[in-house]
Amino acid sequence: INLTNDQAELEVARLGRIHVKRDHIRRMYRWGSGADLVYLGPNGLVGWKEPAAVKLWHDEGGQPQTDKEGSYIRGDFGIPAQAVIEFELFWKNKPDFVLALGVEDNDDEAAFKRSYRFEVWDNELVLRCELGREADVDTVQSIASGSGRVHLVAYLDQEKGRMLVYSPNGKPLSEISVKPRKPIAHPGIRLTNRKGDVRLERLRITRWDGVTPREVYPDKVRLHRTDGSIVY
């Protein structure tokens, strides 16, 4: 109903009129029918599988978490060939994790290496992919020691072998491109904790039209219109 520098005034069907502090709002999406939304979570460990007989991951307030070295969870969340994957990870100690997008629904390590992976290398978070004899690696951001978090938005086109990574406010951070021998897409995600601890706090998967996001002024409040134009 109204948006000021301090608050947003909303009319909500079941709650009536409510006021939300402006600094508590990160983003508002046009919902429509919700047809573009594939997955919104996490919802605890629902949909995730562990290879070990002994469960090494637990549900921390609806968020998968572990501090067991070498453990991982894998889930088929229906990632389409062209997808936008927004995720947020948190850790208490220096992280050492791998988040792989576009994995098969099995524990084949060769297939895992063909996925699009976020990995911690020393004090950097890198993006990498290996398809046959081709490979590409790019730095996403620095990772400091101690507790921290990372919140990123990945635009993934598996059939063309391309992934773009942006900050939540629209700043481009990284890009890799590895042309596959034949177009193929896998629907799964795998999160591995090599050392330390890690917790998945956010995972949102939507369909993508394949169009590269427009360049924006990331520090300015803006409205993205349905025709692709941007109003600040």
Side-chain angles (χ1 to χ4, degrees), residues 46-83:
V46 176
W48 296 98
K49 300 176 183 177
E50 283 193 67
V54 178
K55 300 305 177 184
L56 303 177
W57 289 72
H58 62 275
D59 183 339
E60 182 73 22
Q63 299 169 342
Q65 179 175 337
T66 189
D67 58 2
K68 306 301 181 183
E69 294 185 6
S71 63
Y72 71 85
I73 49 175
R74 171 177 44 80
D76 180 348
F77 296 104
I79 297 177
Q82 293 179 320

Side-chain angles (χ1 to χ4, degrees), residues 84-212:
V84 182
I85 302 113
E86 180 180 4
F87 65 90
E88 191 167 1
L89 296 169
F90 169 81
W91 54 87
K92 297 177 182 177
N93 303 297
K94 186 177 184 343
D96 190 359
F97 62 81
V98 180
L99 177 65
L101 309 177
V103 301
E104 299 182 43
D105 190 21
N106 56 48
D107 296 314
D108 183 357
E109 290 301 315
F112 168 70
K113 290 182 179 180
R114 294 192 294 269
S115 62
Y116 299 80
R117 310 194 297 280
F118 292 88
E119 299 186 6
V120 177
W121 289 5
D122 295 326
N123 295 318
E124 290 186 335
L125 179 66
V126 302
L127 179 63
R128 67 181 297 197
C129 182
E130 305 167 27
L131 296 177
R133 295 183 178 181
E134 292 191 41
D136 198 3
V137 179
D138 195 16
T139 299
V140 180
Q141 66 179 59
S142 298
I143 295 290
S145 299
S147 65
R149 69 175 63 248
V150 62
H151 184 186
L152 298 170
V153 182
Y155 293 80
L156 174 61
D157 189 332
Q158 295 187 65
E159 293 184 344
K160 292 184 178 179
R162 181 184 183 215
M163 184 152 77
L164 314 172
V165 179
Y166 287 72
S167 67
N169 63 3
K171 180 181 179 181
L173 299 175
S174 182
E175 178 179 354
I176 59 172
S177 180
V178 182
K179 188 175 182 179
R181 294 180 179 177
K182 61 179 181 179
I184 191 169
H186 298 297
I189 294 176
R190 174 168 155 177
L191 177 57
T192 303
N193 182 54
R194 295 190 295 203
K195 289 183 181 179
D197 65 286
V198 67
R199 181 171 75 218
L200 178 63
E201 296 190 340
R202 177 196 304 263
L203 180 60
R204 187 176 193 269
I205 304 171
T206 56
R207 291 178 176 82
W208 179 36
D209 59 8
V211 177
T212 301

